Amino acid sequence: LSLAGKALSEGTWALSTLDIRDFATDKHRSVDDTPAGGGAGMVMRADIAAAAIDAAREDAAPGTPTIYLSPRGTPLTQSRAHALAQGPGAILLCGRFEGLDQRVLEARDVEEISIGDYVLSGGELAAQVLIDAAVRLLPGVAGNEVSLAEESFASGLLEYPHYTKPREWEGHAIPEVLLSGDHEKIAKWRRDQAESLTRARRPDLLDKSQKR
Ligand code: SAM
């Protein structure tokens, strides 16, 4: 849908999906089994996941990373999305149940990425989040390169607040400086707003940008 869907239909990027059940070896097409050591839930089998990864790798460009969407992974960031947008693509593994057998993650050198500190029931939505974050950064997709350069995280800060017409709404006016036509003053106001918003909501981002 939206930007990513339009870019897909225009051939700016491509998506190919594999059903992991096609790599099952029994008549029930099962892909999971009970956890070694006991406990609740089911675990996706290493041999079946490996066969699916190997099949995906046959069609992938050299250097394509294999990423398992996982709550245990490195948090997804805007800079990782940029790196993915500039790279050859990605093979995305969507987990289900309790997740994947650890051995396949190690044997196939799989990177783990999380989209946040909460648990989803499957990796598909997480994969869509990662795809959307990367695809909108591909040249020509978002349409307005300036807004990409100014948006949240681009400079290590959250973005400044936005306003549009009407000039006054329910007694609230647009900040005077934005109507002044003085571009230098507007740029300074936006920078100050971005900094104070980041300090109040995400001081961890300020710490990171000072360390850069
Ligand atoms: N037992 C796992 C744990 O505690 O870390 C959770 C498994 S979850 C029910 C099933 C699948 O959803 C995972 O294998 C993963 O692919 C996906 N998933 C869940 N939360 C996610 C998150 N925050 N980021 C990325 N993927 C996630």
Side-chain angles (χ1 to χ4, degrees):
L1 298 175
S2 188
L3 293 180
K6 187 162 169 276
L8 182 63
S9 62
E10 286 169 352
T12 310
W13 67 289
L15 175 71
S16 139
T17 55
L18 293 178
D19 182 351
I20 199 153
R21 288 198 186 279
D22 291 344
F23 300 89
T25 49
D26 64 344
K27 69 173 184 221
H28 302 294
R29 305 179 79 217
S30 42
V31 297
D32 57 328
D33 215 319
T34 51
M42 299 293 273
V43 177
M44 291 175 77
R45 283 171 47 159
D47 53 345
I48 292 164
I53 293 171
D54 294 346
R57 284 183 176 175
E58 272 172 30
D59 296 329
T64 301
T66 302
I67 297 169
Y68 169 45
L69 284 311
S70 153
R72 296 186 327 188
T74 310
L76 178 62
T77 59
Q78 187 68 2
S79 67
R80 188 71 181 97
H82 265 287
L84 285 167
Q86 283 163 5
I91 296 169
L92 304 178
L93 262 164
C94 303
R96 279 271 154 182
F97 322 117
E98 291 307 317
L100 280 174
D101 185 311
Q102 181 64 23
R103 291 171 296 177
V104 74
L105 300 175
E106 289 162 15
R108 292 295 184 272
D109 196 18
V110 176
E111 176 185 351
E112 293 185 62
I113 292 186
S114 164
I115 65 155
D117 290 345
Y118 41 80
V119 179
L120 304 166
S121 40
E124 302 81 2
L125 287 172
Q128 287 181 59
V129 167
L130 182 144
I131 289 170
D132 186 82
V135 163
R136 67 189 289 281
L137 299 173
L138 293 174
V141 174
N144 187 348
E145 312 280 329
V146 175
S147 80
L148 287 185
E150 288 191 358
E151 68 187 0
S152 292
F153 311 113
S155 58
L157 299 176
L158 301 178
E159 200 186 41
Y160 49 81
H162 294 285
Y163 299 87
T164 187
K165 290 174 189 146
R167 206 176 163 128
E168 192 162 318
W169 172 76
E170 292 193 352
H172 303 281
I174 292 175
E176 205 57 44
V177 60
L178 297 178
L179 306 169
S180 68
D182 183 333
H183 296 296
E184 228 169 89
K185 263 196 200 158
I186 293 172
K188 181 179 178 320
W189 180 86
R190 286 180 167 163
R191 215 170 31 248
D192 292 348
Q193 289 286 319
E195 271 175 25
S196 55
L197 206 72
T198 310
R199 188 163 295 113
R201 295 186 184 172
R202 294 289 307 276
D204 58 305
L205 292 177
L206 281 179
D207 293 347
K208 269 187 219 150
S209 69
Q210 275 153 10
K211 279 182 200 145
R212 272 185 199 160

